[in-house]
Amino acid sequence: MTDSGDKPAGLTYAQAGVDIDAGARMVELIKPLVRATRRRGANAEIGGFGGLFDLRAAGFADPILVAANDGVGTKVKIAIESGIHDTVGVDLVAMCVNDLVVQGAEPLFFLDYFATGKLEPKVGATIVAGIAAGCLEAGAALIGGETAEMPGLYEGADYDLAGFAVGAAERGDLLPRGDIREGDVLLGLPSSGVHSNGFSLVRKIVALAGLTISDPAPFAPEKSLAQALLEPTRIYVKPVLLALRKTRAFKAFAHITGGGYLENIPRVLPDGIGAWIDLDAIPVLPVFRWLARTGGVAEREMLRTFNCGIGMIAVVEAGKVAEAEEALRASGENPVRIGVLVATPTGDRVLFDGKLAL
């Protein structure tokens, strides 16, 4: 029998697959990234149990808070497989803050959730660098987050991301407005690519084509397929807020994400009103032509899955279209007239004419 001094040491958390020290190293790596997102109302320091935000310091008089949360979906698989981790954080922020600005809200702060099977501090810090970059672009402070190492739930280097954003609007400035009616005009704002939805179908088409993500992208041969598909989701916050502050011409905005045109446009319209879309006017990006042709994806399926080249749609008062276009151009956007609102007492809420340039 051995004495107590010879007994083997008890199990540790690290032996179970969770490295607390790695988490601490990652926190130190990301602290300067988080500090860079400071804005009025938030000091953007991490390490406490919760983040603070002062609405009064942010300049609001009678604010309504608006909250949104989202993820990046299976787009993260392409980041994981390619080792390109610096853009999915931008996607994460974009998917949340774009859902705030369509309601007329200014993003104030953001929190992230990063879960992985094995924490690699440098990979985690690279992801958070993308999140911080997205926050800077949106004008939101990164005031906190959570990193979870969960071996057995995630395999190897697999990870997932989720985010939570809070914004505010003065009580009288919330969208959509109550005066949306037949005859209002739809202006589309161009997308940067696939954005962050439909990637389960994208990945299936890549496999069907017999390509690897390191191959040149057929629609952008100067880039690898991974680089081209990981083009970050556009963040529309600053141009939309600038345009909203210049004119009262805008009645609503619709963020074209999962569900495409068919699901997202009706979300901002009153009962009995639908949208007529001129498909010939949509500036279809090369990636969507490649997806449709390679996967044999029907036009309607493209329209209910992808943005097809338009990531945000504005509903504009008919008599103020030129004013709205001028405000958007002044903020750096390139609006495209893509349709009008029509009466739809029954049946489909989104009607199409013409044909996508697929």
Side-chain angles (χ1 to χ4, degrees):
M1 179 180 294
T2 61
D3 61 34
S4 58
D6 296 324
K7 287 182 179 178
L11 283 173
T12 66
Y13 209 4
Q15 288 172 320
V18 178
D19 188 346
I20 295 173
D21 293 332
R25 289 195 299 275
M26 179 176 157
V27 169
E28 291 305 310
L29 288 171
I30 67 176
K31 276 184 176 180
L33 303 171
V34 173
R35 290 190 191 111
T37 69
R38 284 187 176 124
R39 54 153 293 157
R40 285 190 307 161
N43 64 6
E45 284 290 337
I46 58 171
F49 286 98
L52 304 178
F53 194 93
D54 185 344
L55 279 169
R56 184 177 297 175
F60 288 91
D62 185 20
I64 300 292
L65 292 179
V66 182
N69 71 304
D70 212 331
V72 184
T74 57
K75 189 173 185 175
V76 297
K77 286 293 290 182
I78 296 175
I80 293 164
E81 291 167 5
S82 66
I84 302 172
H85 303 289
D86 60 342
T87 59
V88 286
V90 179
D91 287 300
L92 181 64
V93 175
M95 295 301 287
C96 295
V97 298
N98 285 341
D99 281 353
L100 296 183
V101 77
V102 298
Q103 296 176 82
E106 174 189 344
L108 302 176
F109 60 85
F110 189 85
L111 298 98
D112 68 279
Y113 176 77
F114 169 52
T116 184
K118 179 174 175 53
L119 180 60
E120 297 291 345
K122 288 185 178 179
V123 171
T126 301
I127 293 166
V128 174
I131 294 171
C135 285
L136 282 169
E137 189 175 348
L142 180 57
I143 66 170
E146 172 69 8
T147 300
E149 191 173 23
M150 296 188 284
L153 186 59
Y154 295 92
E155 291 296 327
D158 282 355
Y159 63 81
D160 196 12
L161 296 172
F164 182 87
V166 172
E170 296 292 358
R171 193 174 298 272
D173 294 335
L174 285 168
L175 298 177
R177 281 168 30 189
D179 60 345
I180 294 172
R181 59 172 59 93
E182 182 180 1
D184 287 340
V185 175
L186 300 175
L187 297 180
L189 305 184
S191 71
S192 57
V194 184
H195 284 185
S196 297
N197 53 276
F199 269 86
S200 293
L201 179 55
V202 170
R203 290 168 50 243
K204 192 171 185 66
I205 292 170
V206 170
L208 180 69
L211 296 172
T212 70
I213 57 173
S214 60
D215 289 330
F219 52 89
E222 72 281 4
K223 300 178 180 179
S224 71
L225 190 54
Q227 290 172 324
L229 291 175
L230 287 172
E231 181 68 32
T233 305
R234 279 201 62 202
I235 294 176
Y236 295 94
V237 169
K238 289 183 178 178
V240 167
L241 287 177
L242 283 171
L244 282 171
R245 289 163 184 164
K246 286 185 177 180
T247 174
R248 294 284 296 174
F250 299 98
K251 296 185 176 183
F253 284 88
H255 184 199
I256 307 305
T257 57
Y261 297 73
L262 295 170
E263 299 294 332
N264 289 294
I265 298 174
R267 294 168 68 179
V268 301
L269 303 181
D271 291 342
I273 297 294
W276 174 88
I277 304 290
D278 177 10
L279 296 180
D280 292 321
I282 292 176
V284 177
L285 296 172
V287 61
F288 297 112
R289 283 195 285 273
W290 179 77
L291 289 168
R293 293 172 183 176
T294 307
V297 184
E299 181 181 78
R300 190 171 180 85
E301 187 67 15
M302 292 293 294
L303 289 163
R304 68 181 297 216
T305 306
F306 300 115
N307 67 66
C308 297
I310 294 292
M312 184 77 75
I313 293 176
V315 178
V316 176
E317 188 173 332
K320 296 183 177 180
V321 176
E323 183 181 337
E325 289 175 325
E326 182 181 352
L328 286 167
R329 289 193 185 102
S331 68
E333 283 294 336
N334 184 27
V336 181
R337 298 190 193 193
I338 64 169
V340 295
L341 297 188
V342 295
T344 53
T346 59
D348 292 342
R349 301 283 304 282
V350 183
L351 309 172
F352 299 106
D353 194 15
K355 189 175 181 180
L356 285 176
L358 298 173

